[in-house]
Amino acid sequence: MITQPTTEPPRAARRAGAVNGAPTATAVRAAVLSSATEAITAARAYAASIADGAIARDRAGEVPYPELAALDASGLLGITVPASYGGPDLSPEVLAEVIRTIAAVDPAIAQIPQAHFLFVDVLAVHGSPAQQRLLFADVLAGARLGNGVAERGGKHAQDLKTRLRPSPSGPGLRLDGKKYYCTGAISARWIGVTALDDADRLVLAFVDRHAPGVTIDEDWDVMGQRATVSGTATFDRVPVDPALVVPYANAFEVPQQFGARSQLVHTAIQVGIAGGALRDAREFLRTKARPFFEATRAGWAETAATDPHTIHRFGRLAIQVAAAEALLASAAATLAEVTRFPRDAEAAARGSIAVAEAKAFASDTAVEVASDLFSLAGASAADEKYDLSRHWRNARTHASHDPVDWKYHHVGNYLLNDALPPNHGQL
């Protein structure tokens, strides 16, 4: 049966003050958000509160514990919890805007709850009533669900070696395996871990972050999205309550929107990066950049912001960002119409294709805007003290997890040949 979690850490952790180098969990009292207006207002306030530290977090690449504690307390983690379990069950449009708002300031922070919202969806559709009661109550109290899904070393990231087997030493289950790209796991309350059971069926086990045998490393050393600290999680004979296991294979044997709703969050991150890069380009052009000497000598411009070529290119980029924002909003509206429970494969396909269109365009736009920032602002913008390269590094790193060519392929095949897209967790 499900055991009620406690916020009190193990005795050794209480003495040391940390587990695996992370501060121990403390009780969180999250705000209660009940409307779209409250959620978007909270997202804007949270984004403003973390804005000044974005460059320092990018440079440090360390776990942003204070910022994540503030996120946990903000109430934003609970905005998609079903109303039947006390949540506001806010729409995909609201979720997309919340993530976009945070990502425009710090996309690494915005990525950390991506799997959290996916797992809330999985529980809402496939969780047992007992799982829903326990985990949704935790989420509404400020508990974050971390990610233990992808692996290294196999043919691809979903070539799973992690196993969930009956414990040889007594009742219950035992989890063994190693995961990578574990965004948010290091500071989460629970970690959602995919594994294969004895029948080689895909399952999703919710594991206490501080359970015996759970080790999470800060071995995330990449050029962008550094503050996600999406490194390795090792599960060595970790005890798992059977009542906290979801038969995840079932989710992909029927029409579903988990992939689309998960990708909506990733889309919002890319749109946020694009908007943040454009914002910083505008500020630099208006306050720091100088015009090219030809523009000044010819009498065309006295400032960088009045250079005709700069105006033209900035206008083009601004239109692309606006288009990306519109596609994001349109895709979110489609998901709201389809709901978590698509009526058939065609309805699920509409949701998946709408998000695929938005995600592919947003990824390309974010990379282009973050790169063209330097064409607009000139060599002085490359000075490391401004850390403007973080926009491109974040966009490129984030997009590399999910090749947009496959998005374009499935969109084209759907529109041209009426081919339904594959029913998996990344589309």
Side-chain angles (χ1 to χ4, degrees), residues 382-393:
D383 193 314
E384 286 285 11
K385 68 184 178 182
Y386 302 120
D387 199 41
L388 292 174
S389 67
R390 74 185 187 280
H391 296 299
W392 184 89
R393 290 184 287 103

Side-chain angles (χ1 to χ4, degrees), residues 13 16-24 63 65 185-186 191 208-218 232-234:
V19 176
N20 296 334
T24 53
V63 184
Y65 288 114
I186 198 167
I191 306 173
D208 189 318
R209 157 66 182 91
H210 298 294
V214 176
T215 304
I216 302 180
D217 296 322
E218 296 183 37
T232 300
T234 303

Side-chain angles (χ1 to χ4, degrees), residues 57-106:
R57 288 190 296 274
D58 173 63
R59 288 173 172 162
E62 297 173 349
V63 184
Y65 288 114
E67 292 82 359
L68 292 180
L71 176 63
D72 298 346
S74 69
L76 292 169
L77 297 177
I79 61 174
T80 60
V81 171
S84 55
Y85 287 92
D89 200 8
L90 298 182
S91 69
E93 294 102 318
V94 176
L95 175 61
E97 181 59 15
V98 164
I99 298 297
R100 187 203 65 79
T101 298
I102 298 171
V105 169
D106 191 332

Side-chain angles (χ1 to χ4, degrees), residues 165-176 237-238:
R165 301 182 177 93
S167 175
S169 58
L173 300 170
R174 190 181 82 179
L175 181 70
D176 291 279
R237 294 173 290 181
V238 176

Side-chain angles (χ1 to χ4, degrees), residues 138-421:
D138 257 14
V139 167
L140 291 172
R144 191 162 16 88
L145 310 178
N147 168 32
V149 174
E151 297 184 12
R152 278 178 156 180
K155 293 181 179 179
H156 49 76
Q158 295 304 318
D159 183 12
L160 302 186
K161 301 295 187 290
T162 300
R163 288 282 181 171
L164 185 67
R165 301 182 177 93
S167 175
S169 58
L173 300 170
R174 190 181 82 179
L175 181 70
D176 291 279
K178 181 175 289 190
K179 298 287 185 174
Y180 194 65
Y181 306 115
C182 297
T183 305
I186 198 167
S187 57
R189 171 65 182 86
W190 297 93
I191 306 173
V193 184
T194 53
L196 299 177
D197 64 13
D198 273 355
D200 283 335
R201 294 276 292 173
L202 181 67
V203 295
L204 175 66
F206 286 96
V207 177
D208 189 318
R209 157 66 182 91
H210 298 294
V214 176
T215 304
I216 302 180
D217 296 322
E218 296 183 37
D219 56 344
W220 179 244
D221 187 15
V222 294
M223 66 179 183
Q225 293 295 85
R226 301 189 69 213
T228 63
V229 194
S230 304
T232 300
T234 303
F235 303 92
D236 181 17
R237 294 173 290 181
V238 176
V240 175
D241 187 336
L244 284 175
V245 178
V246 177
Y248 203 24
N250 295 351
F252 303 102
E253 294 171 351
V254 295
Q256 52 81 26
Q257 290 289 267
F258 301 125
R261 290 172 70 99
S262 176
Q263 288 293 300
L264 183 74
V265 174
H266 285 303
T267 305
I269 293 167
Q270 291 287 11
V271 174
I273 293 172
L278 188 72
R279 174 203 63 223
D280 286 356
R282 179 181 185 273
E283 177 66 15
F284 200 93
L285 285 166
R286 288 164 61 93
T287 62
K288 295 182 177 65
R290 296 181 297 173
F292 190 55
F293 71 88
E294 287 191 32
T296 302
R297 286 179 178 177
W300 292 332
E302 292 300 321
T303 65
T306 56
D307 184 307
H309 293 300
T310 297
I311 292 172
H312 172 83
R313 186 178 291 234
F314 187 89
R316 288 184 59 193
L317 295 177
I319 291 170
Q320 287 176 252
V321 172
E325 291 172 348
L327 276 173
L328 173 66
S330 176
T334 299
L335 293 191
E337 177 191 343
V338 173
T339 77
R340 287 186 175 111
F341 303 89
R343 66 177 180 272
D344 54 30
E346 178 58 40
R350 284 196 302 109
S352 294
I353 291 299
V355 178
E357 291 172 340
K359 174 62 162 57
F361 185 77
S363 295
D364 286 346
T365 297
V367 170
E368 182 175 353
V369 175
S371 176
D372 277 9
L373 183 161
F374 297 97
S375 298
L376 290 168
S380 60
D383 193 314
E384 286 285 11
K385 68 184 178 182
Y386 302 120
D387 199 41
L388 292 174
S389 67
R390 74 185 187 280
H391 296 299
W392 184 89
R393 290 184 287 103
N394 288 333
R396 187 66 271 167
T397 298
H398 183 250
S400 68
H401 295 299
D402 186 34
V404 297
D405 283 350
W406 282 104
K407 305 291 190 201
Y408 287 123
H409 170 86
H410 293 308
V411 169
N413 209 19
Y414 177 78
L415 297 175
L416 184 62
N417 300 313
D418 298 322
L420 297 184

